[in-house]
């Protein structure tokens, strides 16, 4: 079956217009290149650092114990109070010590009276000896009696001094400035002196504070070279560590920046074979008591000499598996990839 189709003039014109319209829609226009923000790298002088975990400790710690036996009559401080050297902390009942002093003083008076009589007897016998009224043996015995009484007087005087010292020790005072802990014993308790003496309280110094941290041997060797120890010698570094007054930075737990400075003061005399580290500590002034012994800190120690480095924002670093790269813009304003090796991130990112 054959079909004949007849098209009128207007119909042909419409169909041609449709074909032309389809041809125009097929034309592809290239998209505009994306716009990006760029910045120039920054050159800065940097020093490599190593970070370590550390902790704070008091420069001095004193365990307060009684030197004499007695009952606690009064506690003269409140728990956690700041005390000065010489402040009264505990007061023991002084009456037994005062009685011992009185007893020894009475004994001293007896011996002193006897010695007065012995001195007179010795003088009398020496006069009689010149006239033949006393023998040499009698004079020597009188002389020995005088010397014996003098020795007894000296012994009693020592007993009095000891008793007076015990009376002084019945007033337990602070040996250092610092913060006192709680009173382990209250009024009415009996304390003993000697091997079984109980702990009364503890005092820790507040100013300055020590900062302890452990540093691995490799970093310590690098540090010795960076500070100019003789031949990079670790032993030379440790021998002169306090005199070098080398500084380091630290941050308290919860702080993001290393805003506090301390000075190295001590390094241990050996490397711990089990950990491969050595313990160091530095000191930091603490006049306001802001730093508390036992607090955890992060220590940052400068390792190596200063050098010039090129810095870019951390957000500009891209990753491709194990590679790191940045996108750079060349003189033709074309973006290219450049693989990079990264150093440490700075405090400002």
């Amino acid at each position: 079956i054959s079909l004949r189709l007849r098209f009128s003039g207007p119909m042909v014109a419409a169909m041609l217009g449709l074909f032309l319209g389809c041809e125009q829609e097929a034309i592809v226009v290239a998209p505009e290149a994306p716009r990006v923000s760029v910045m120039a790298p920054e050159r800065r002088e940097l020093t490599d650092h190593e970070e370590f975990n550390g902790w704070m400790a008091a420069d001095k710690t004193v365990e307060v114990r009684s030197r004499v036996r007695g009952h606690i009559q009064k506690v003269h401080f409140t728990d956690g109070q700041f005390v000065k050297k010489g402040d009264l902390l505990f007061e023991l009942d002084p009456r037994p010590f005062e009685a011992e002093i009185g007893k020894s003083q009475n004994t001293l008076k007896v011996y002193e009276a006897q010695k007065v009589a012995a001195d007179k007897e010795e003088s009398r016998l020496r006069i009689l000896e010149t006239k033949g009224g006393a023998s040499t043996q009698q004079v020597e015995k009188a002389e020995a009696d005088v010397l014996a009484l003098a020795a007894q007087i000296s012994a009693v005087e020592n007993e009095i001094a000891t008793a007076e010292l015990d009376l002084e020790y019945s007033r337990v005072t602070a040996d250092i400035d610092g913060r006192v802990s709680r009173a382990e014993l209250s009024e009415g308790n009996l304390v003993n002196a000697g091997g079984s003496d109980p702990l009364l309280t503890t005092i820790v110094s507040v100013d300055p504070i020590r900062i302890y941290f452990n540093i691995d041997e490799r970093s310590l060797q690098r540090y010795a070279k960076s500070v100019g120890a003789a031949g990079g010698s670790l032993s030379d570094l440790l021998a002169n560590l306090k005199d070098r007054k080398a500084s380091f930075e630290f941050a308290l737990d919860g702080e993001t920046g290393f805003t506090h400075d301390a000075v190295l003061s001590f390094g241990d005399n050996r490397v711990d074979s089990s950990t491969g580290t050595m313990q160091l500590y530095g000191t930091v002034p603490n006049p306001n008591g802001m730093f508390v012994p036992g607090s955890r800190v992060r220590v940052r120690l400068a390792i190596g000499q200063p050098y010039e480095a090129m810095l870019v924002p951390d957000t500009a670093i891209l990753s491709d598996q194990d590679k790191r790269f940045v996108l750079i813009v060349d003189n033709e304003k074309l973006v290219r990839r450049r693989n990079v090796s990264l150093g440490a991130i700075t405090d400002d990112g």
Side-chain angles (χ1 to χ4, degrees):
I1 300 174
S2 63
L3 297 176
R4 290 185 178 181
L5 299 179
R6 291 184 178 180
F7 299 98
S8 64
M11 184 180 295
V12 173
M15 292 180 66
L16 289 174
L18 179 62
F19 293 148
L20 290 175
C22 292
E23 184 178 354
Q24 289 177 352
E25 290 179 1
I27 298 174
V28 178
V29 179
E32 184 181 356
R35 295 179 178 272
V36 296
S37 60
V38 297
M39 67 175 296
E42 179 182 345
R43 288 190 176 275
R44 237 188 252 178
E45 186 179 84
L46 298 179
T47 303
D48 289 335
H49 294 82
E50 293 284 352
E51 294 186 15
F52 308 94
N53 293 322
W55 65 97
M56 290 184 171
D59 187 52
K60 297 177 182 178
T61 302
V62 174
E63 293 183 343
V64 180
R65 302 177 188 271
S66 175
R67 300 185 184 185
V68 293
R69 175 186 171 90
H71 283 85
I72 298 177
Q73 191 173 66
K74 190 173 182 181
V75 178
H76 289 269
F77 67 93
T78 57
D79 297 348
Q81 175 185 336
F82 280 98
V83 296
K84 294 287 187 180
K85 182 178 180 180
D87 285 354
L88 182 61
L89 303 178
F90 294 88
E91 186 177 5
L92 305 184
D93 186 357
R95 291 173 296 177
F97 309 105
E98 294 171 345
E100 189 65 27
I101 292 174
K103 177 182 176 181
S104 297
Q105 287 175 339
N106 291 334
T107 303
L108 178 63
K109 291 178 182 179
V110 172
Y111 286 139
E112 287 176 340
Q114 291 177 352
K115 185 176 181 301
V116 170
D119 287 337
K120 292 180 179 179
E121 179 67 12
E122 181 187 7
S123 298
R124 187 181 68 83
L125 289 176
R126 286 188 183 280
I127 294 173
L128 291 176
E129 183 184 17
T130 60
K131 299 178 180 181
S135 64
T136 302
Q137 182 179 6
Q138 289 176 312
V139 174
E140 291 175 349
K141 183 179 182 306
E143 183 181 1
D145 289 342
V146 171
L147 293 176
L149 287 169
Q152 288 176 324
I153 289 173
S154 179
V156 174
E157 287 176 341
N158 290 335
E159 290 177 1
I160 293 174
T162 301
E164 289 176 342
L165 194 59
D166 288 344
L167 178 60
E168 181 182 343
Y169 287 157
S170 70
R171 296 171 59 85
V172 182
T173 59
D175 290 326
I176 62 171
D177 297 347
R179 187 192 296 272
V180 67
S181 180
R182 68 178 184 274
E184 300 291 343
L185 295 176
S186 60
E187 290 89 343
N189 281 281
L190 175 66
V191 295
N192 293 307
S196 60
D197 53 328
L199 178 67
L200 297 178
T201 190
T202 304
I203 305 175
V204 294
S205 63
V206 175
D207 186 21
I209 285 286
R210 291 183 180 182
I211 299 177
Y212 286 87
F213 61 98
N214 295 322
I215 179 172
D216 60 276
E217 187 177 3
R218 181 176 299 178
S219 296
L220 195 57
Q221 294 285 3
R222 291 177 57 200
Y223 179 71
K225 294 178 181 178
S226 69
V227 298
S233 168
L234 185 56
S235 59
D236 176 73
L237 169 68
L238 298 175
N240 302 284
L241 189 59
K242 189 172 184 179
D243 297 330
R244 293 181 183 275
K245 298 187 182 302
S247 62
F248 64 91
E249 302 169 316
F250 69 94
L252 300 176
D253 191 20
E255 292 182 340
T256 55
F258 293 85
T259 57
H260 309 288
D261 296 317
V263 177
L264 282 175
S265 302
F266 171 80
D268 209 344
N269 57 0
R270 64 186 179 89
V271 175
D272 189 335
S273 59
S274 60
T275 62
T277 62
M278 178 181 289
Q279 188 173 95
L280 278 68
Y281 78 74
T283 55
V284 57
N286 189 31
N288 299 324
M290 179 178 69
F291 304 126
V292 179
S295 300
R296 309 300 299 184
V297 297
R298 290 179 294 115
V299 173
R300 186 168 71 176
L301 186 65
I303 304 289
Q305 297 295 331
Y307 62 94
E308 191 177 71
M310 184 177 294
L311 280 73
V312 296
D314 181 49
T315 53
I317 306 298
L318 304 175
S319 300
D320 180 9
Q321 295 184 354
D322 61 340
K323 294 182 175 61
R324 299 292 184 270
F325 67 94
V326 294
L327 297 178
I328 67 171
V329 181
D330 61 14
N331 294 333
E332 299 177 358
K333 295 186 178 182
L334 296 179
V335 177
R336 301 183 186 278
R337 167 174 168 164
R338 176 72 58 84
N339 291 340
V340 293
S341 297
L342 302 182
I345 189 169
T346 60
D347 291 338
D348 57 357

